[in-house]
């Protein structure tokens, strides 16, 4: 016991300041991409040809679908004109699938729930996590939010053991055919009103498995999705930012917003 | 020893397929049995269609010789099962039956393992029609009969943030008489998608085969491509790969030690290790920007170099994290109430481990010194060795203790490598792949041996691609470890193996 206390004292308090300050991200971290189509050479499709998941369309202008993106930077590496750059910005969650298609330097981030749902979930959100073909990296970076370093409990967010206890589902993975029924039943077992959050390229658009006949290509083919959090896997800060934004817990005056 | 000779090959090297002897099935079956009886183990059993039969390729690890052995045989719709004399083939033969619609006759428990349609329309090992629905876990389960026997079914969706799988326990009161594990919910068709490659998606499929083993699988894939193209990653790249692989081991082992502490209600270690695992993932992100090492390992080398300041930063931060890990884990092993829960729980014998063909931590915790880094070293491990960590009790304690030994040895290994980085390039261009060849590549991931195998068609494309995640060898070990245990010890036993669902389901 004394030893546990001594170790606790030595290791100290380690919950991060976020959202009172920006999260600490490595310098090589790839955040939201910023596009500058005006730099494109005529008839150049080098980026689109390099992309492993067909996230880029360079036929008319230049667009990058964050929902499909694996953040591998294959596109920016082949671009002769630096038309695609990576900002370190971790904030990327959106409320609609279309909003994930980046055309320039902007991204329309997720709006908060309406007043009624915010009253219900704003200060207490219980989520059931469903891994449906997830590779365990998205799952791990969701799990990490419950550790002392991130401590999502301080926002009233908790991952619970049963869909019956949940206000919504947090789904990872491309939803293999073999998990479709499991996902559907878990959704049905969750009482209404309920939220669905798709975390990662797989849950949004099939990720690296898009187009395989063994998968259904993401959560939206089976259940309606309220929040899309891109990445492969999304950084925990990206996931947390999305959740807080959805709950209306981040405002323009928060330090991370200014 | 074997009556017939098999082809020898080296980890990561390629041979012409024509040099791999094509035997009759009976000869191959006897040869594999003899190899296994002599202390070698089955690394892979892979099928591919040739003509109107299926060619089965067997690859064995010969640890004493430090090499692999391969042989092949074409079988028709039915063939004599290897499993009765060689239990470690049992899961592989179920996989062959499911994939290619061929029946290993005499297999003691022939059932699907992933619940997908056979790759050959019109051929189904269970005689199902081409359009018959196939649902996961809809199959016969082993049944224990008796008035007081009851069954407990768990999953596919579990209570924690983990992947889906179905567990069915036959119990008498609290006592588990048998556990049957039924997987396949994570099946994403990765092997099939790799055929025709390598292409721009292949390496991403390798990295996401099992996301917590991204570096191990990407390294196995890259080594395989390098072997087939006759190129070699430069020494500096080999070091960066080894650093990333050992960081992956550290992160997962530290996380597992914390989770084991959590499963017996010892919360201080759970809390510390949860954070420390993240600290180590952040070190991997220092290498390449991604906490799981995505986008780092590529055929021909690595995609990122490390400047001197970065190397220094890594060494300092790893040192600091390890100080905290020592504090957090030391407490765990010094607490007698924790030890009382870990010792003697979920034990397997060395003989069981050999029979089942267990690999990795689970095998070393039974006293077997199986470790690809020492047996078939490739990359940096040819020049610098990590001592193999074993313990002999085969229980949850042993699996925890082996992890702790490995944490200490891997962190030392990383520090030594960082202190002596050779100068030079970090990547070379890979030439086109050799046609008509076979290559096998093994990497000791944190769970155990990751095996990738490919056969190329004449133009150098993958004609067939096989992945064997260590979990594939080890799931049956978990099932047996549960026998005669309390059902309430399942989470603890499960965590002590911590196997991959998607790595198994592919
Ligand atoms: S999005 Fe990427 S990290 Fe997440 S489950 Fe899919 S492959 Fe894994």
């Amino acid at each position: 016991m004394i030893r546990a206390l001594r170790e606790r004292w030595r290791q100290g308090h380690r919950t991060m300041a976020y959202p009172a300050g920006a999260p600490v991200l490595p310098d090589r971290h790839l955040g939201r991409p910023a596009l500058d189509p005006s730099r494109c050479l005529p008839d150049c499709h080098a980026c689109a040809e390099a992309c492993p998941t067909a996230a880029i369309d360079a036929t008319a202008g230049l667009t990058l679908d964050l929902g499909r993106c694996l953040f591998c930077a294959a596109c920016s590496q082949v671009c002769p004109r630096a038309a695609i750059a990576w900002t370190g910005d971790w904030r990327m969650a959106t409320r609609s699938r279309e909003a994930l298609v980046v055309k320039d330097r902007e991204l329309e981030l997720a709006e908060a729930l309406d007043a009624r749902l915010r009253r219900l979930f704003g200060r207490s959100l219980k989520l059931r996590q469903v891994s449906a073909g997830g590779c365990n990296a998205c799952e791990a970076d969701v799990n990490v939010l419950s550790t002392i370093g991130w401590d999502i409990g301080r926002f009233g967010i908790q991952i619970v053991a049963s869909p019956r206890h949940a206000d919504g589902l947090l789904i990872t993975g491309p939803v293999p055919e073999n998990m479709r029924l499991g996902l559907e039943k878990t959704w049905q077992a969750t009482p209404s009103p309920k939220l669905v959050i798709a975390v990662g390229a797989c849950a949004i658009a099939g990720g690296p498995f898009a187009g395989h006949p063994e998968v259904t290509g993401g959560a939206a083919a089976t259940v309606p999705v309220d929040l899309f959090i891109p990445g492969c896997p999304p950084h925990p800060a990206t996931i947390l930012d999305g959740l807080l934004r959805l709950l209306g817990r981040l405002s323009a005056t928060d330090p991370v917003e200014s | 020893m074997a009556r017939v000779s098999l082809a020898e090959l080296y980890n990561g090297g390629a041979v012409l397929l024509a040099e791999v002897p094509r035997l009759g099935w009976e000869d191959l079956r006897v040869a594999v049995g003899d190899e296994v009886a002599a202390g070698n183990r089955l690394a892979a059993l892979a099928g591919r269609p040739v003509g109107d039969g299926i060619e089965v390729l067997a690859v064995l690890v010969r640890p004493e010789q430090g090499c692999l052995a391969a042989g092949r045989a074409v079988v028709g719709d039915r063939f004599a099962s290897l499993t009765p004399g060689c239990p470690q083939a049992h899961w592989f033969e179920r996989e062959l039956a499911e994939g290619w619609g061929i029946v290993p006759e005499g297999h003691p428990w022939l059932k699907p393992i992933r619940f997908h349609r056979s790759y050959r329309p019109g051929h189904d090992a269970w005689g199902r029609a081409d359009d018959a629905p196939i649902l996961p876990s809809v199959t016969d389960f082993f049944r224990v009969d008796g008035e007081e026997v009851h069954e407990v079914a768990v999953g596919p969706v579990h209570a924690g943030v983990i992947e889906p799988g179905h567990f069915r326990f036959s119990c008498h009161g609290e006592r588990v008489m048998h556990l049957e594990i039924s997987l396949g919910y994570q099946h994403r068709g990765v092997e099939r998608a790799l055929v025709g490659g390598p292409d721009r998606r292949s390496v991403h499929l390798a990295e996401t085969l099992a996301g917590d083993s991204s570096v191990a699988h990407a390294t196995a894939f890259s080594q395989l491509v390098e072997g087939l193209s006759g190129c070699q990653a430069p020494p500096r790249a080999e070091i960066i790969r080894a650093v990333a692989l050992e960081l992956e081991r550290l992160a997962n082992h530290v996380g597992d030690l914390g989770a084991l502490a959590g499963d017996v209600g010892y919360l201080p270690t759970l809390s510390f290790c949860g954070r420390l695992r993240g600290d180590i993932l952040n070190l991997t992100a220092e290498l390449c920007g991604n906490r799981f090492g995505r986008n780092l390992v590529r055929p021909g080398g690595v995609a990122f170099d490390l400047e001197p300041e970065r190397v220094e930063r890594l060494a300092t931060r790893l040192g600091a994290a390890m100080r905290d890990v020592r504090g957090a884990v030391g407490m765990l092993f010094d607490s007698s109430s924790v030890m009382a829960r870990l010792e003697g729980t979920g034990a397997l014998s060395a003989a069981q481990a050999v029979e089942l063909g267990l690999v990795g931590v689970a095998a070393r915790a039974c006293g077997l010194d199986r470790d690809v880094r020492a047996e078939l070293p490739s990359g940096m491990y040819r020049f610098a060795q990590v001592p193999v960590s074993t313990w002999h009790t085969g229980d949850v304690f042993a699996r925890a203790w082996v992890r702790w030994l490995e944490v200490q040895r891997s962190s030392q290994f990383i520090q030594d490598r960082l202190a002596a980085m050779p100068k030079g390039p970090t990547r070379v261009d890979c030439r086109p792949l050799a046609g008509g060849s076979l290559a096998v590549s093994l990497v000791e991931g944190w769970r155990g041996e990751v095996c990738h195998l490919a056969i190329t068609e004449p133009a150098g494309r993958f004609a067939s691609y096989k992945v064997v995640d260590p979990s594939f060898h080890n799931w049956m070990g978990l099932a047996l470890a549960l026998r005669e245990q309390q059902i309430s010890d399942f989470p603890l036993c499960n965590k002590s193996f911590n196997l991959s669902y998607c790595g198994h389901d592919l």
Side-chain angles (χ1 to χ4, degrees), chain A residues 133-139 173 199-202 208-209 231-233, chain B residues 208 294:
Chain A
C135 76
N136 210 9
C138 275
E139 288 79 355
V199 171
C202 280
F209 318 104
C232 183
Chain B
T208 54
R294 304 271 162 89

Side-chain angles (χ1 to χ4, degrees), chain A residues 3 11 49 128 133 135, chain B residues 158 186 200 211 275 287 334:
Chain A
R3 178 145 185 211
Q11 297 209 14
E49 275 153 27
R128 172 78 280 257
C135 76
Chain B
H158 300 289
Q186 298 282 74
R200 57 193 168 175
R275 165 180 69 81
L287 302 177
D334 281 350

